[in-house]
Amino acid sequence: MAVAAKAQEVGLDVEDPLILDDVSSHAWDEEADLVIAGLGGAGVAAAVEALERGVSVIAVDRYEGGGSTAANGGIFYAGGGTVIQKEAGEDDSPEEMYKYLKMEAGEVVADSTLRKFVDESVSTVDWLLHHGGKLNSAVWKKKASYPPLDRFLYHPDNSLVARYRKVAKPAARGHRAHIANGKKAWGVGIGIYNPLRDSALRLGLKFRPLTEARQLAIDASGRVVGLKVLSIPPGSKDAAAFTKYIRRANHFLAMLPPSIPFAAITIGIGNHYLKKAMRIEAHGRETRWIRAREGVLLSTGGFIMNPKMVQRYAPAYAAGMPNGTLGDQGSGIVMGMTAGGSTALMGKVSAWRFINPPKAWSDAIVVNAKGERFVDETVYGATMGEHIVDHHGGTGWLIYDAAARKQAFRQAFDPVLVPFQRDVTLLNLLFNYKKAPTLAALADRIGVDRDALAATVARYNRAAAGQEPDPFEKEPEDMQPIATGPFYAMDISIASRFLPLPVITFGGLRVEENTGQVLDGEGRPIPGLYAAGRTAVGIASQTYVSGLSYADCVFSGRRAARHIAKANI
């Protein structure tokens, strides 16, 4: 079966490539050295880098551009002694950053690629600032899932966790972008994305929004030479209506799992607007062909917003809360596959289970379906989520006592908390708990073994009292005995009704790590075809820390542009 036919099974209308015997005689509508499909974080970085190097660029995007990059929390992972770190008094070096990231990235990329990423980190931040990126050196030094709104440099990772500190010296490497008023917690990815987009346009980018990439063109030698697109005419009534409907659909559908209360109603509203937008696409688009003299870059994001594709490749995560925007359909990945591109880690999904704030929760314990601990509870949310879903069947319970519950309520009203952190804490304290007068009764209520839970709590209490070391190396200042009844269990499983588990895909097209070229099944680069960001396997594809995907988008997008610029000389 052709790849395009298989694509329809997961809701995609990608077509198999058009093979051209005579490229010059084809009816091209326009052409450029580099043609980019998807103008999100990776696409815009590639565009700016290429244009700076004298490469002409046309970019298309099915929507308005920006994708999940523009919609995210605005964290950019960088270190080694960036100008922002130095302003904040943070002592960091490339070697310490490398040692830390090696623990997180594992073998997902070559050591040389990871070192290059680290070695370029300082200059990358300089490049972002040069193009107007809005960064700030106000630092937050404590463990946190997200910093207070008046802090912009923090630890978005495990670097402060004891086990990691033994290997690498910690430093605040989460560079949070900001917007004019500095008061918005989400969607501040535009603090970096918008300035890059504006620079690209000033440098000569030809941007075609509301334009969907549907088919690659390949010459007789197997080289990718262009792209077929379907475009809503700019400035038309259809364009205005489509944009309005997509914005509304994104508002109702993004980051919403079916398991939470009232989700069916919200999803129904979102799908209502999405269907309206799709009807416009069905009748109001023009077919155009864009020639790519040097290469096509696929940077359309991952596939977390495509339920059928998630169910096929990563079914264990289907109940999670999609962390993306409507562009994350997997179209770029499948389009690369139509040209013979190979994939890896398609079942690899990052799941984010943050339980701090409030600190009272991370001072308690997390157990699996057997009533056993499996992690230091102070680890970063993506590490916690990975343990729960990848290694413990998607089930997790936070066990705490009456004293911790009182502390959690007090901590929920700490003025340094971002509003969404307070709201999530209160929602789960009020509605997401099982309560029992004894641990044995609590075990019965959540369906775990009585003796196992009793032994787990007893051992934890001894470690909290300093009577024995904690097997997960959790530090005493982050531990409180679980001793004061009644006792509570909070559902932190993947399908928790009141604490959804955000998920994002990290698998994609395999690429040659020095160039960004897509690799075929034999590991050979496909001429003229590149992939970047979450369309490709990259630095962040093993274990996520906040901002690492954003940084990898910029790194991989610029990498592809540099290789194309060399070919263009």
Side-chain angles (χ1 to χ4, degrees), residues 76-395:
F76 190 90
Y77 197 91
T82 69
V83 63
I84 302 299
Q85 287 180 311
K86 289 180 178 178
E87 287 178 6
E90 285 291 298
D91 183 17
D92 197 12
S93 69
E95 184 59 28
E96 295 300 327
M97 182 181 177
Y98 173 82
K99 287 192 295 185
Y100 172 75
L101 283 181
K102 181 61 180 174
M103 289 187 284
E104 301 287 22
E107 305 300 323
V108 73
V109 295
D111 286 353
S112 58
T113 300
L114 184 59
R115 283 198 178 276
K116 184 174 179 61
F117 172 80
V118 169
D119 290 343
E120 290 182 0
S121 192
V122 170
S123 62
T124 297
V125 169
D126 292 340
W127 184 78
L128 294 176
L129 293 171
H130 171 73
H131 286 286
K134 294 177 173 59
L135 302 176
N136 187 299
S137 60
V139 65
W140 185 253
K141 293 180 176 291
K142 302 177 183 178
K143 295 174 185 174
S145 59
Y146 197 77
L149 291 180
D150 61 348
R151 295 292 184 269
F152 298 90
L153 181 67
Y154 78 116
H155 295 261
D157 52 21
N158 288 305
S159 58
L160 290 174
V161 176
R163 181 170 67 85
Y164 294 82
R165 287 206 320 267
K166 292 178 180 178
V167 177
K169 180 181 177 181
R173 300 187 180 108
H175 294 60
R176 183 166 73 91
H178 61 87
I179 53 179
N181 60 21
K183 297 296 183 182
K184 187 177 180 182
W186 294 116
V188 294
I190 60 174
I192 296 173
Y193 175 82
N194 283 359
L196 286 178
R197 179 203 58 200
D198 294 345
S199 280
L201 292 171
R202 284 194 299 269
L203 289 167
L205 170 66
K206 296 179 180 178
F207 179 39
R208 309 291 183 246
L210 312 191
T211 300
E212 180 187 8
R214 290 290 285 268
Q215 183 181 22
L216 293 170
I218 299 177
D219 69 14
S221 72
R223 181 182 183 84
V224 174
V225 296
L227 194 63
K228 172 187 170 181
V229 301
L230 301 182
S231 181
I232 299 174
S236 65
K237 290 183 179 179
D238 278 347
F242 179 84
T243 300
K244 177 180 69 175
Y245 294 144
I246 285 298
R247 288 177 179 176
R248 291 179 179 177
N250 251 321
H251 176 74
F252 285 103
L253 293 176
M255 297 187 72
L256 186 65
S259 60
I260 69 172
F262 309 112
I265 297 174
T266 306
I267 291 173
I269 296 172
N271 282 331
H272 168 73
Y273 288 116
L274 185 59
K275 289 176 182 177
K276 282 178 172 287
M278 296 305 100
R279 283 197 289 268
I280 292 173
E281 284 191 329
H283 71 76
R285 295 197 289 186
E286 301 172 343
T287 299
R288 298 176 61 81
W289 285 93
I290 307 175
R291 184 176 182 178
R293 289 188 290 264
E294 300 298 344
V296 170
L297 173 65
L298 302 173
S299 51
T300 61
F303 59 92
I304 199 59
M305 294 299 289
N306 185 332
K308 291 182 179 178
M309 203 163 172
V310 172
Q311 187 63 49
R312 169 173 290 187
Y313 291 106
Y317 291 87
M321 180 171 73
N323 189 1
T325 52
L326 288 176
D328 293 307
Q329 297 290 323
S331 61
I333 296 172
V334 174
M335 189 171 291
M337 293 167 66
T338 68
S342 59
T343 61
L345 301 174
M346 292 293 283
K348 182 64 179 177
V349 173
S350 180
W352 304 350
R353 176 55 77 222
F354 290 104
I355 59 171
N356 178 14
K359 188 177 184 297
W361 284 350
S362 63
D363 284 353
I365 63 171
V366 171
V367 301
N368 59 21
K370 297 179 180 179
E372 300 169 344
R373 283 180 72 214
F374 50 85
V375 71
D376 174 349
E377 290 79 7
T378 67
V379 294
Y380 205 60
T383 305
M384 176 70 75
E386 179 181 338
H387 277 281
I388 291 172
V389 185
D390 284 359
H391 308 301
H392 295 277
T395 297

Side-chain angles (χ1 to χ4, degrees), residues 55-87:
V55 175
S56 61
V57 183
I58 295 173
V60 304
D61 194 287
R62 187 175 183 179
Y63 304 112
E64 297 177 86
S68 294
T69 292
N72 70 22
I75 310 302
F76 190 90
Y77 197 91
T82 69
V83 63
I84 302 299
Q85 287 180 311
K86 289 180 178 178
E87 287 178 6

Side-chain angles (χ1 to χ4, degrees), residues 410-495:
R410 288 197 299 270
Q411 292 165 0
F413 293 98
D414 189 328
V416 306
L417 265 63
V418 177
F420 80 86
Q421 294 172 323
R422 177 200 62 222
D423 296 344
V424 168
T425 299
L426 291 175
L427 176 69
N428 283 275
L429 282 171
L430 292 172
F431 298 106
N432 183 15
Y433 67 88
K434 302 287 187 182
K435 178 182 177 182
T438 65
L439 283 172
L442 185 67
D444 292 342
R445 291 214 64 191
I446 63 175
V448 305
D449 182 84
R450 284 185 168 197
D451 293 338
L453 183 61
T456 296
V457 171
R459 186 172 187 183
Y460 186 75
N461 288 347
R462 290 195 298 271
Q467 297 171 359
E468 63 180 66
D470 181 64
F472 301 100
E473 303 181 62
K474 192 174 183 181
E475 297 180 303
E477 59 265 30
D478 293 322
M479 306 174 74
Q480 292 189 47
I482 301 170
T484 307
F487 300 93
Y488 298 83
M490 184 172 80
D491 184 7
I492 61 172
S493 305
I494 188 170

